[in-house]
C-alpha cells in the first residue's frame, strides 16, 4: 500500500495495513542531522513518510517586500516584514519570532494600507510559488505520497498583521473589522488555490495551520470562535470539499473547547494535540475519534528524553487505543527539536509502526 493510498483511507476511517506516518522538524534539527541524512529535501523519503506538503502562497500584504534589518546584537536580529510588523528572531536557534510592534494597529490603517493590496487580484500570481508546488507535487507522485497544499487559514493571517492583542480585543470593540479581515483572507486563500490548482493540478488534500491556543486555553471563547473564525473555516473547508479534498487543520495550544465547532466547520483531521498545553490524545480520541482522523499527540518531551523505555511506555499506552478505527497518523505533538537524536527518532517511528500494524 502506498502512502497516498494509506492516508486517503485513514482520512476516511477505512481499513489500512498500518497507521500513517508523518512529522515536522525544527530547522535546527535538520542542521544537526545533516551529516547523517544529507539533503534535507529528501527527509520525507528518508524516513518513509506517507505524506508530503508544499506551502506555495505568500499572504503578506506587501508581497514584493524584502524583510528589512532594523537592528541586531550578538544573539538576535530584529526585522520589519511585509505586514509592517517588527519581529525579533534568535540567531542561534530556530524558534517562533518575538512580536515587537505592528504597523497596522487600527481599522483605518487596515483599510488604507493593507486591504487594497490583499484584494488586488493583479498581485495574485506574485503570491504563488508555482514551481515549488509543481516540483513537490511531482516528487510526491513519484514516491507514492499523499500530497498536501499547506498554508495558513484566517486566524494565522490576521494576527501577523495586527498582533494577537489587537485582534482579540477588536473582537469586542470593533467586531465588524475582524469579520472583514477574516472574510478578506478567506477570499484570498480560495482565489489563490483556484488559480494554482487550475494551472498545476489538484493536490490530494489541504493542510491549514491555525495556532489558536496557548497553555490551558484557546485564545478566544468558543462563542468568539463561532462568530469570527468559524464562517471562514467553513467557507474554506467547503471549497476544499467541493473538489473532494480532505482538510487537515493544525493548531498548537489547548483548543479542545473549539473542536466541536471546528468539526462542524468541516475539518477532516486534527494535528498536533500539544500535550504540554493540556491536550490529551486519548481523551480526544474517545470524544471525537469517530468524527475526525487524528495526527500527532505524541509528547515530544518523552521523545527528547532519548530514553527508549519512556518512549516504549508512551507508545504502548497510546497506539493500541488510537489505531482502532483506522484513523491515526503517528507524529509528535508539535515538531521534533534537535535535542532528539537521530537514532532516537528512528527508534520512535520503528516502534510506533510496529505497534500500529493491523
Amino acid at each position: 500500500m502506498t502512502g497516498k493510498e494509506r492516508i486517503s483511507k485513514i482520512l476516511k476511517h477505512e481499513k489500512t495495513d498500518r497507521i500513517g506516518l508523518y512529522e515536522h522538524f525544527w530547522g535546527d534539527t535538520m542542521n544537526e542531522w545533516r551529516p547523517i541524512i544529507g539533503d534535507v529535501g529528501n527527509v520525507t523519503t528518508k524516513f518513509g513518510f506517507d505524506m508530503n506538503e508544499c506551502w506555495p502562497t505568500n499572504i503578506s500584504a506587501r508581497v514584493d517586500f524584502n524583510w528589512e534589518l532594523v537592528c541586531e546584537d550578538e544573539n538576535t536580529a530584529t526585522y520589519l516584514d511585509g505586514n509592517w510588523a517588527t519581529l525579533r528572531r534568535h540567531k542561534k536557534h530556530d524558534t517562533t519570532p518575538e512580536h515587537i510592534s505592528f504597523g497596522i494597529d487600527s481599522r483605518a490603517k487596515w483599510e488604507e494600507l493593507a486591504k487594497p493590496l490583499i484584494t488586488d487580484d493583479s498581485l495574485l500570481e506574485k503570491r504563488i510559488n508555482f514551481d515549488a508546488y509543481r516540483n513537490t507535487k511531482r516528487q510526491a507522485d513519484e514516491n507514492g505520497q499523499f500530497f498536501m497544499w499547506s498554508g495558513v487559514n484566517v486566524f494565522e493571517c490576521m494576527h501577523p498583521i495586527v498582533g494577537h492583542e489587537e485582534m482579540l480585543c477588536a473582537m469586542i470593540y470593533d467586531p465588524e473589522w475582524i469579520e472583514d479581515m477574516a472574510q478578506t483572507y478567506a477570499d484570498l486563500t480560495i482565489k489563490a488555490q483556484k488559480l494554482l490548482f487550475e494551472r498545476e493540478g489538484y493536490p490530494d488534500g489541504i493542510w491549514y495551520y491555525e495556532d489558536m491556543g496557548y497553555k490551558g486555553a484557546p485564545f478566544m471563547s468558543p462563542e468568539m470562535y463561532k462568530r469570527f473564525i468559524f464562517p471562514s473555516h467553513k467557507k474554506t473547508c467547503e471549497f476544499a470539499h467541493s473538489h473532494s479534498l480532505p482538510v487537515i487543520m493544525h493548531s498548537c495550544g489547548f483548543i479542545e473547547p473549539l473542536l466541536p465547532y471546528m468539526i462542524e466547520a468541516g475539518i477532516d483531521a486534527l494535528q498536533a494535540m500539544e500535550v504540554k498545553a493540556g491536550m490529551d490524545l486519548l481523551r480526544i480520541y474517545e470524544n471525537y475519534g469517530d468524527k475526525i482522523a487524528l495526527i500527532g499527540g505524541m509528547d515530544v518531551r518523552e521523545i527528547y528524553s532519548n530514553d527508549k523505555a519512556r518512549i516504549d511506555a508512551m507508545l504502548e499506552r497510546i497506539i493500541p487505543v488510537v489505531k482502532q478505527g483506522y484513523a491515526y497518523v503517528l507524529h509528535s505533538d508539535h515538531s521534533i527539536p534537535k535535542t532528539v537524536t537521530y537514532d532516537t527518532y528512528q527508534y520512535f517511528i520503528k516502534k510506533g509502526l510496529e505497534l500500529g500494524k493491523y
Side-chain angles (χ1 to χ4, degrees), residues 7 10-13 19-21 51 207 247-249 255 259 263 267-273 279-298 318-319 321-332:
I7 297 299
I10 285 172
L11 294 175
K12 297 174 185 175
H13 301 242
I19 61 175
L21 176 64
M51 308 168 73
W207 188 310
V247 176
I248 297 170
M249 187 165 284
I255 51 87
L259 196 48
I263 293 170
I267 70 167
D268 298 286
L270 176 68
Q271 188 269 340
M273 294 168 286
M279 298 290 277
D280 183 277
L281 175 57
L282 292 178
R283 184 177 67 237
I284 293 168
Y285 170 80
E286 181 179 354
N287 293 328
Y288 304 105
D290 60 334
K291 300 177 180 67
I292 53 173
L294 300 173
I295 304 172
M298 293 293 167
I318 295 175
I319 295 294
V321 177
V322 297
K323 67 184 281 189
Q324 301 174 72
Y326 305 101
Y328 179 70
V329 177
L330 183 66
H331 191 294
S332 70

CSV table of all heavy atoms in Angstrom, one decimal, residues 7 10-13 19-21 51 207 247-249 255 259 263 267-273 279-298 318-319 321-332:
chain,number,residue,atom,x,y,z
A,7,ILE,N,-3.0,7.2,3.5
A,7,ILE,CA,-3.6,8.4,4.1
A,7,ILE,C,-5.0,8.6,3.5
A,7,ILE,O,-5.9,9.1,4.3
A,7,ILE,CB,-2.7,9.6,3.8
A,7,ILE,CG1,-1.3,9.4,4.5
A,7,ILE,CG2,-3.3,10.9,4.3
A,7,ILE,CD1,-1.3,9.2,6.0
A,10,ILE,N,-7.1,6.5,5.7
A,10,ILE,CA,-7.1,6.9,7.1
A,10,ILE,C,-8.0,8.1,7.2
A,10,ILE,O,-8.8,8.2,8.2
A,10,ILE,CB,-5.7,7.3,7.5
A,10,ILE,CG1,-4.9,6.0,7.8
A,10,ILE,CG2,-5.7,8.2,8.8
A,10,ILE,CD1,-3.4,6.2,8.0
A,11,LEU,N,-8.0,9.1,6.3
A,11,LEU,CA,-8.8,10.3,6.4
A,11,LEU,C,-10.3,9.9,6.2
A,11,LEU,O,-11.2,10.7,6.6
A,11,LEU,CB,-8.4,11.3,5.4
A,11,LEU,CG,-7.0,11.9,5.7
A,11,LEU,CD1,-6.6,12.9,4.6
A,11,LEU,CD2,-7.0,12.7,7.0
A,12,LYS,N,-10.6,8.7,5.7
A,12,LYS,CA,-12.0,8.3,5.5
A,12,LYS,C,-12.4,7.2,6.6
A,12,LYS,O,-13.4,6.6,6.5
A,12,LYS,CB,-12.2,7.7,4.1
A,12,LYS,CG,-12.0,8.7,3.0
A,12,LYS,CD,-12.1,8.0,1.7
A,12,LYS,CE,-11.8,8.9,0.5
A,12,LYS,NZ,-11.7,8.2,-0.8
A,13,HIS,N,-11.4,6.9,7.5
A,13,HIS,CA,-11.6,5.9,8.5
A,13,HIS,C,-11.9,4.5,7.9
A,13,HIS,O,-12.7,3.7,8.4
A,13,HIS,CB,-12.8,6.3,9.4
A,13,HIS,CG,-12.7,7.6,10.1
A,13,HIS,ND1,-12.6,7.7,11.5
A,13,HIS,CD2,-12.6,8.8,9.6
A,13,HIS,CE1,-12.5,9.0,11.8
A,13,HIS,NE2,-12.5,9.7,10.7
A,19,ILE,N,-1.0,2.2,10.8
A,19,ILE,CA,-1.3,3.6,11.0
A,19,ILE,C,-0.4,4.4,10.0
A,19,ILE,O,0.6,3.9,9.5
A,19,ILE,CB,-1.0,4.0,12.4
A,19,ILE,CG1,0.5,3.7,12.8
A,19,ILE,CG2,-1.9,3.3,13.4
A,19,ILE,CD1,0.9,4.2,14.2
A,20,GLY,N,-0.7,5.7,9.8
A,20,GLY,CA,0.1,6.5,9.0
A,20,GLY,C,1.4,7.1,9.7
A,20,GLY,O,1.5,6.9,10.9
A,21,LEU,N,2.2,7.7,8.9
A,21,LEU,CA,3.5,8.3,9.4
A,21,LEU,C,3.8,9.6,8.8
A,21,LEU,O,3.8,9.7,7.5
A,21,LEU,CB,4.6,7.3,9.2
A,21,LEU,CG,6.0,7.8,9.6
A,21,LEU,CD1,6.1,8.0,11.1
A,21,LEU,CD2,7.1,6.8,9.2
A,51,MET,N,3.3,11.2,3.6
A,51,MET,CA,2.7,12.5,3.1
A,51,MET,C,3.9,13.4,2.7
A,51,MET,O,5.0,13.2,3.2
A,51,MET,CB,1.9,13.1,4.2
A,51,MET,CG,0.8,12.3,4.8
A,51,MET,SD,0.1,12.9,6.3
A,51,MET,CE,-0.9,14.2,5.6
A,207,TRP,N,-3.9,21.3,4.0
A,207,TRP,CA,-3.5,21.3,5.4
A,207,TRP,C,-3.4,22.8,5.8
A,207,TRP,O,-2.6,23.6,5.3
A,207,TRP,CB,-2.1,20.7,5.4
A,207,TRP,CG,-1.6,20.5,6.8
A,207,TRP,CD1,-1.5,21.4,7.9
A,207,TRP,CD2,-1.0,19.3,7.4
A,207,TRP,NE1,-1.0,20.9,9.0
A,207,TRP,CE2,-0.7,19.6,8.7
A,207,TRP,CE3,-0.8,18.0,6.9
A,207,TRP,CZ2,-0.1,18.6,9.6
A,207,TRP,CZ3,-0.2,17.1,7.7
A,207,TRP,CH2,0.1,17.4,9.0
A,247,VAL,N,-9.6,18.0,4.5
A,247,VAL,CA,-8.9,19.1,5.2
A,247,VAL,C,-8.3,18.7,6.5
A,247,VAL,O,-9.0,18.2,7.4
A,247,VAL,CB,-9.9,20.3,5.4
A,247,VAL,CG1,-9.2,21.4,6.2
A,247,VAL,CG2,-10.4,20.8,4.1
A,248,ILE,N,-7.0,18.9,6.7
A,248,ILE,CA,-6.3,18.7,8.0
A,248,ILE,C,-6.1,20.1,8.5
A,248,ILE,O,-5.7,21.0,7.8
A,248,ILE,CB,-5.0,18.0,7.8
A,248,ILE,CG1,-5.2,16.6,7.2
A,248,ILE,CG2,-4.2,17.9,9.1
A,248,ILE,CD1,-3.9,15.9,6.8
A,249,MET,N,-6.3,20.2,9.8
A,249,MET,CA,-6.1,21.5,10.5
A,249,MET,C,-5.1,21.3,11.7
A,249,MET,O,-5.4,20.5,12.5
A,249,MET,CB,-7.3,22.2,10.9
A,249,MET,CG,-7.1,23.6,11.5
A,249,MET,SD,-8.6,24.6,11.6
A,249,MET,CE,-8.9,25.0,9.9
A,255,ILE,N,-6.9,23.7,22.4
A,255,ILE,CA,-8.0,24.2,21.6
A,255,ILE,C,-9.2,23.3,21.7
A,255,ILE,O,-10.2,23.4,20.9
A,255,ILE,CB,-7.6,24.4,20.1
A,255,ILE,CG1,-6.9,23.2,19.5
A,255,ILE,CG2,-6.7,25.6,20.0
A,255,ILE,CD1,-7.8,22.2,18.9
A,259,LEU,N,-13.1,22.5,19.4
A,259,LEU,CA,-13.1,21.4,18.5
A,259,LEU,C,-14.5,21.0,17.9
A,259,LEU,O,-14.6,20.7,16.7
A,259,LEU,CB,-12.4,20.2,19.1
A,259,LEU,CG,-12.0,19.0,18.2
A,259,LEU,CD1,-11.2,19.5,17.0
A,259,LEU,CD2,-11.1,18.0,19.0
A,263,ILE,N,-15.0,20.9,13.9
A,263,ILE,CA,-15.6,19.7,13.2
A,263,ILE,C,-16.8,20.1,12.4
A,263,ILE,O,-17.0,19.7,11.2
A,263,ILE,CB,-15.9,18.6,14.2
A,263,ILE,CG1,-14.6,18.1,14.8
A,263,ILE,CG2,-16.7,17.5,13.5
A,263,ILE,CD1,-14.8,17.1,16.0
A,267,ILE,N,-13.5,20.3,9.2
A,267,ILE,CA,-12.2,19.6,9.2
A,267,ILE,C,-12.3,18.1,9.2
A,267,ILE,O,-13.3,17.6,9.8
A,267,ILE,CB,-11.3,20.1,10.4
A,267,ILE,CG1,-11.8,19.6,11.7
A,267,ILE,CG2,-11.1,21.6,10.4
A,267,ILE,CD1,-10.8,19.7,12.8
A,268,ASP,N,-11.4,17.5,8.5
A,268,ASP,CA,-11.4,16.0,8.5
A,268,ASP,C,-10.4,15.4,9.4
A,268,ASP,O,-10.5,14.2,9.7
A,268,ASP,CB,-11.1,15.6,7.0
A,268,ASP,CG,-12.2,16.0,6.1
A,268,ASP,OD1,-13.3,15.5,6.1
A,268,ASP,OD2,-11.9,17.0,5.3
A,269,ALA,N,-9.4,16.2,9.8
A,269,ALA,CA,-8.4,15.7,10.7
A,269,ALA,C,-7.8,16.8,11.5
A,269,ALA,O,-7.8,18.0,11.1
A,269,ALA,CB,-7.2,15.0,9.9
A,270,LEU,N,-7.3,16.5,12.8
A,270,LEU,CA,-6.7,17.4,13.6
A,270,LEU,C,-5.3,17.0,13.9
A,270,LEU,O,-5.0,15.9,14.2
A,270,LEU,CB,-7.5,17.5,15.0
A,270,LEU,CG,-6.9,18.4,16.1
A,270,LEU,CD1,-7.0,19.9,15.7
A,270,LEU,CD2,-7.5,18.1,17.4
A,271,GLN,N,-4.4,18.0,13.9
A,271,GLN,CA,-3.0,17.8,14.2
A,271,GLN,C,-2.6,19.1,15.0
A,271,GLN,O,-3.1,20.2,14.6
A,271,GLN,CB,-2.2,17.7,12.9
A,271,GLN,CG,-0.7,17.3,13.0
A,271,GLN,CD,0.2,18.5,13.1
A,271,GLN,OE1,-0.2,19.7,12.7
A,271,GLN,NE2,1.4,18.3,13.7
A,272,ALA,N,-1.9,19.2,16.1
A,272,ALA,CA,-0.9,18.4,16.6
A,272,ALA,C,-1.2,17.8,18.0
A,272,ALA,O,-0.6,16.9,18.4
A,272,ALA,CB,0.4,19.2,16.7
A,273,MET,N,-2.2,18.4,18.7
A,273,MET,CA,-2.6,17.9,20.0
A,273,MET,C,-1.4,18.0,21.0
A,273,MET,O,-0.9,17.0,21.4
A,273,MET,CB,-3.2,16.5,19.9
A,273,MET,CG,-4.5,16.5,19.2
A,273,MET,SD,-5.1,14.8,18.7
A,273,MET,CE,-4.0,14.4,17.4
A,279,MET,N,-3.6,19.3,25.9
A,279,MET,CA,-4.3,18.4,25.0
A,279,MET,C,-3.9,16.9,25.4
A,279,MET,O,-2.8,16.6,25.8
A,279,MET,CB,-3.9,18.7,23.6
A,279,MET,CG,-4.3,20.1,23.1
A,279,MET,SD,-6.1,20.3,22.9
A,279,MET,CE,-6.4,19.6,21.3
A,280,ASP,N,-4.8,16.0,25.2
A,280,ASP,CA,-4.6,14.6,25.5
A,280,ASP,C,-5.2,13.8,24.4
A,280,ASP,O,-6.4,13.8,24.2
A,280,ASP,CB,-5.3,14.3,26.8
A,280,ASP,CG,-5.1,12.8,27.3
A,280,ASP,OD1,-5.8,12.0,26.8
A,280,ASP,OD2,-4.2,12.6,28.1
A,281,LEU,N,-4.3,13.1,23.7
A,281,LEU,CA,-4.7,12.3,22.5
A,281,LEU,C,-5.8,11.3,22.9
A,281,LEU,O,-6.8,11.1,22.1
A,281,LEU,CB,-3.5,11.6,21.9
A,281,LEU,CG,-3.7,10.7,20.7
A,281,LEU,CD1,-4.5,11.4,19.6
A,281,LEU,CD2,-2.4,10.1,20.3
A,282,LEU,N,-5.6,10.6,24.0
A,282,LEU,CA,-6.6,9.5,24.3
A,282,LEU,C,-8.0,10.1,24.6
A,282,LEU,O,-9.0,9.5,24.2
A,282,LEU,CB,-6.1,8.7,25.5
A,282,LEU,CG,-4.9,7.8,25.2
A,282,LEU,CD1,-4.5,7.1,26.5
A,282,LEU,CD2,-5.2,6.8,24.1
A,283,ARG,N,-8.0,11.2,25.3
A,283,ARG,CA,-9.3,11.9,25.6
A,283,ARG,C,-10.0,12.4,24.3
A,283,ARG,O,-11.2,12.2,24.1
A,283,ARG,CB,-9.1,13.0,26.6
A,283,ARG,CG,-10.4,13.7,27.0
A,283,ARG,CD,-10.1,14.8,28.0
A,283,ARG,NE,-9.4,15.9,27.4
A,283,ARG,CZ,-8.2,16.4,27.9
A,283,ARG,NH1,-7.6,15.8,28.9
A,283,ARG,NH2,-7.6,17.4,27.3
A,284,ILE,N,-9.2,13.0,23.4
A,284,ILE,CA,-9.7,13.5,22.2
A,284,ILE,C,-10.2,12.3,21.3
A,284,ILE,O,-11.2,12.4,20.6
A,284,ILE,CB,-8.7,14.4,21.4
A,284,ILE,CG1,-8.4,15.6,22.3
A,284,ILE,CG2,-9.1,14.7,20.0
A,284,ILE,CD1,-7.2,16.4,21.8
A,285,TYR,N,-9.4,11.2,21.3
A,285,TYR,CA,-9.8,10.1,20.5
A,285,TYR,C,-11.2,9.5,21.1
A,285,TYR,O,-12.1,9.2,20.3
A,285,TYR,CB,-8.8,9.0,20.6
A,285,TYR,CG,-9.3,7.6,20.1
A,285,TYR,CD1,-9.3,7.4,18.7
A,285,TYR,CD2,-9.7,6.6,20.9
A,285,TYR,CE1,-9.7,6.2,18.2
A,285,TYR,CE2,-10.2,5.4,20.4
A,285,TYR,CZ,-10.2,5.2,19.1
A,285,TYR,OH,-10.7,4.0,18.6
A,286,GLU,N,-11.3,9.5,22.4
A,286,GLU,CA,-12.6,9.0,22.9
A,286,GLU,C,-13.8,9.8,22.6
A,286,GLU,O,-14.8,9.3,22.3
A,286,GLU,CB,-12.4,8.9,24.5
A,286,GLU,CG,-13.7,8.3,25.2
A,286,GLU,CD,-13.5,8.3,26.7
A,286,GLU,OE1,-12.4,8.5,27.2
A,286,GLU,OE2,-14.5,7.9,27.4
A,287,ASN,N,-13.6,11.1,22.6
A,287,ASN,CA,-14.7,12.1,22.3
A,287,ASN,C,-14.9,12.4,20.9
A,287,ASN,O,-16.1,12.7,20.5
A,287,ASN,CB,-14.4,13.4,23.1
A,287,ASN,CG,-14.5,13.2,24.6
A,287,ASN,OD1,-15.2,12.3,25.1
A,287,ASN,ND2,-13.7,13.9,25.3
A,288,TYR,N,-13.9,12.3,20.0
A,288,TYR,CA,-14.0,12.8,18.7
A,288,TYR,C,-13.4,11.8,17.6
A,288,TYR,O,-13.5,12.1,16.4
A,288,TYR,CB,-13.4,14.2,18.5
A,288,TYR,CG,-13.9,15.2,19.5
A,288,TYR,CD1,-13.1,15.6,20.6
A,288,TYR,CD2,-15.1,15.8,19.3
A,288,TYR,CE1,-13.6,16.6,21.5
A,288,TYR,CE2,-15.6,16.7,20.2
A,288,TYR,CZ,-14.8,17.1,21.3
A,288,TYR,OH,-15.3,18.0,22.1
A,289,GLY,N,-12.9,10.7,18.1
A,289,GLY,CA,-12.2,9.8,17.1
A,289,GLY,C,-13.1,9.2,16.1
A,289,GLY,O,-12.6,8.7,15.1
A,290,ASP,N,-14.4,9.2,16.3
A,290,ASP,CA,-15.3,8.7,15.3
A,290,ASP,C,-15.7,9.7,14.3
A,290,ASP,O,-16.3,9.4,13.3
A,290,ASP,CB,-16.6,8.1,16.0
A,290,ASP,CG,-17.3,9.2,16.8
A,290,ASP,OD1,-16.7,10.1,17.2
A,290,ASP,OD2,-18.6,9.0,16.9
A,291,LYS,N,-15.3,11.0,14.5
A,291,LYS,CA,-15.7,12.1,13.7
A,291,LYS,C,-14.6,12.6,12.8
A,291,LYS,O,-14.8,13.0,11.7
A,291,LYS,CB,-16.2,13.2,14.5
A,291,LYS,CG,-17.5,12.9,15.3
A,291,LYS,CD,-17.9,14.0,16.2
A,291,LYS,CE,-19.1,13.7,17.0
A,291,LYS,NZ,-18.8,12.7,18.0
A,292,ILE,N,-13.3,12.6,13.3
A,292,ILE,CA,-12.2,13.1,12.6
A,292,ILE,C,-11.0,12.1,12.7
A,292,ILE,O,-10.9,11.4,13.7
A,292,ILE,CB,-11.8,14.5,13.0
A,292,ILE,CG1,-11.5,14.5,14.5
A,292,ILE,CG2,-12.8,15.5,12.6
A,292,ILE,CD1,-11.0,15.8,15.1
A,293,ALA,N,-10.1,12.2,11.8
A,293,ALA,CA,-8.8,11.5,12.0
A,293,ALA,C,-7.9,12.3,12.9
A,293,ALA,O,-8.1,13.5,13.0
A,293,ALA,CB,-8.1,11.3,10.6
A,294,LEU,N,-6.9,11.7,13.5
A,294,LEU,CA,-6.0,12.4,14.4
A,294,LEU,C,-4.6,12.1,14.0
A,294,LEU,O,-4.2,11.0,13.7
A,294,LEU,CB,-6.3,11.8,15.9
A,294,LEU,CG,-7.7,12.0,16.4
A,294,LEU,CD1,-7.9,11.3,17.7
A,294,LEU,CD2,-8.1,13.5,16.5
A,295,ILE,N,-3.8,13.2,14.1
A,295,ILE,CA,-2.4,13.2,13.6
A,295,ILE,C,-1.6,13.8,14.8
A,295,ILE,O,-1.8,15.0,15.1
A,295,ILE,CB,-2.2,14.0,12.3
A,295,ILE,CG1,-3.1,13.5,11.2
A,295,ILE,CG2,-0.7,14.0,11.9
A,295,ILE,CD1,-3.1,14.3,10.0
A,296,GLY,N,-0.7,13.0,15.4
A,296,GLY,CA,0.2,13.6,16.4
A,296,GLY,C,-0.2,13.2,17.8
A,296,GLY,O,-0.6,12.0,18.1
A,297,GLY,N,0.0,14.1,18.8
A,297,GLY,CA,-0.4,13.8,20.1
A,297,GLY,C,0.7,13.1,20.9
A,297,GLY,O,0.4,12.7,22.1
A,298,MET,N,1.8,12.8,20.3
A,298,MET,CA,2.9,12.1,21.0
A,298,MET,C,3.8,13.1,21.7
A,298,MET,O,4.5,13.8,21.0
A,298,MET,CB,3.7,11.2,20.0
A,298,MET,CG,2.9,10.1,19.4
A,298,MET,SD,2.5,8.8,20.8
A,298,MET,CE,1.3,7.9,19.9
A,318,ILE,N,-0.6,4.3,24.2
A,318,ILE,CA,-1.5,5.0,23.3
A,318,ILE,C,-1.8,4.4,22.0
A,318,ILE,O,-3.0,4.3,21.6
A,318,ILE,CB,-0.8,6.4,23.0
A,318,ILE,CG1,-0.8,7.2,24.3
A,318,ILE,CG2,-1.6,7.2,21.9
A,318,ILE,CD1,0.0,8.6,24.1
A,319,ILE,N,-0.8,3.8,21.3
A,319,ILE,CA,-1.1,3.3,19.9
A,319,ILE,C,-2.2,2.2,19.9
A,319,ILE,O,-3.0,2.3,19.0
A,319,ILE,CB,0.2,2.8,19.3
A,319,ILE,CG1,1.2,3.9,19.1
A,319,ILE,CG2,0.0,2.1,18.0
A,319,ILE,CD1,0.8,5.0,18.1
A,321,VAL,N,-4.8,1.9,21.4
A,321,VAL,CA,-6.1,2.5,21.5
A,321,VAL,C,-6.4,3.3,20.3
A,321,VAL,O,-7.5,3.1,19.6
A,321,VAL,CB,-6.2,3.4,22.8
A,321,VAL,CG1,-7.5,4.1,22.8
A,321,VAL,CG2,-5.9,2.6,24.0
A,322,VAL,N,-5.5,4.2,19.9
A,322,VAL,CA,-5.9,5.2,18.8
A,322,VAL,C,-5.8,4.5,17.4
A,322,VAL,O,-6.4,5.1,16.4
A,322,VAL,CB,-5.0,6.4,18.8
A,322,VAL,CG1,-5.2,7.2,20.1
A,322,VAL,CG2,-3.5,6.1,18.6
A,323,LYS,N,-5.2,3.3,17.3
A,323,LYS,CA,-5.2,2.7,16.0
A,323,LYS,C,-6.6,2.1,15.6
A,323,LYS,O,-6.9,1.8,14.5
A,323,LYS,CB,-4.1,1.6,16.0
A,323,LYS,CG,-4.4,0.4,16.9
A,323,LYS,CD,-3.3,-0.6,16.9
A,323,LYS,CE,-3.3,-1.6,15.7
A,323,LYS,NZ,-2.4,-2.7,15.9
A,324,GLN,N,-7.4,1.9,16.7
A,324,GLN,CA,-8.8,1.4,16.4
A,324,GLN,C,-9.5,2.5,15.6
A,324,GLN,O,-9.4,3.7,15.8
A,324,GLN,CB,-9.5,1.2,17.7
A,324,GLN,CG,-8.8,0.2,18.7
A,324,GLN,CD,-9.5,0.2,20.0
A,324,GLN,OE1,-10.6,-0.4,20.1
A,324,GLN,NE2,-8.9,0.7,21.0
A,325,GLY,N,-10.2,2.0,14.6
A,325,GLY,CA,-11.0,2.9,13.7
A,325,GLY,C,-10.2,3.3,12.5
A,325,GLY,O,-10.7,4.1,11.7
A,326,TYR,N,-8.9,2.9,12.4
A,326,TYR,CA,-8.1,3.2,11.2
A,326,TYR,C,-8.0,4.7,10.8
A,326,TYR,O,-8.1,5.0,9.7
A,326,TYR,CB,-8.7,2.4,10.0
A,326,TYR,CG,-8.9,0.9,10.2
A,326,TYR,CD1,-10.1,0.4,10.6
A,326,TYR,CD2,-7.8,0.1,10.2
A,326,TYR,CE1,-10.3,-1.0,10.8
A,326,TYR,CE2,-8.0,-1.3,10.4
A,326,TYR,CZ,-9.2,-1.8,10.8
A,326,TYR,OH,-9.4,-3.1,11.0
A,327,ALA,N,-7.8,5.5,11.8
A,327,ALA,CA,-7.8,7.0,11.5
A,327,ALA,C,-6.7,7.7,12.4
A,327,ALA,O,-7.0,8.7,12.9
A,327,ALA,CB,-9.2,7.6,11.8
A,328,TYR,N,-5.5,7.1,12.4
A,328,TYR,CA,-4.5,7.8,13.2
A,328,TYR,C,-3.2,7.8,12.4
A,328,TYR,O,-2.8,6.8,11.7
A,328,TYR,CB,-4.2,7.1,14.5
A,328,TYR,CG,-3.1,7.7,15.3
A,328,TYR,CD1,-3.3,9.0,15.8
A,328,TYR,CD2,-1.8,7.1,15.4
A,328,TYR,CE1,-2.2,9.6,16.5
A,328,TYR,CE2,-0.8,7.7,16.0
A,328,TYR,CZ,-1.0,9.0,16.6
A,328,TYR,OH,0.0,9.6,17.2
A,329,VAL,N,-2.4,8.9,12.5
A,329,VAL,CA,-1.1,9.1,11.9
A,329,VAL,C,-0.1,9.4,13.0
A,329,VAL,O,-0.3,10.4,13.7
A,329,VAL,CB,-1.2,10.2,10.8
A,329,VAL,CG1,0.2,10.5,10.2
A,329,VAL,CG2,-2.2,9.9,9.7
A,330,LEU,N,0.9,8.6,13.0
A,330,LEU,CA,2.0,8.8,14.0
A,330,LEU,C,2.8,10.1,13.7
A,330,LEU,O,3.2,10.3,12.6
A,330,LEU,CB,3.0,7.6,14.0
A,330,LEU,CG,4.1,7.6,15.0
A,330,LEU,CD1,3.5,7.5,16.5
A,330,LEU,CD2,5.1,6.5,14.7
A,331,HIS,N,2.9,10.9,14.8
A,331,HIS,CA,3.5,12.3,14.7
A,331,HIS,C,3.7,12.8,16.1
A,331,HIS,O,2.9,12.4,17.0
A,331,HIS,CB,2.6,13.2,13.9
A,331,HIS,CG,3.2,14.5,13.4
A,331,HIS,ND1,3.6,15.5,14.3
A,331,HIS,CD2,3.4,15.0,12.2
A,331,HIS,CE1,4.0,16.5,13.6
A,331,HIS,NE2,3.9,16.3,12.3
A,332,SER,N,4.7,13.6,16.3
A,332,SER,CA,4.9,14.2,17.6
A,332,SER,C,3.7,15.2,17.9
A,332,SER,O,2.9,15.4,17.0
A,332,SER,CB,6.2,15.0,17.7
A,332,SER,OG,6.2,16.1,16.8
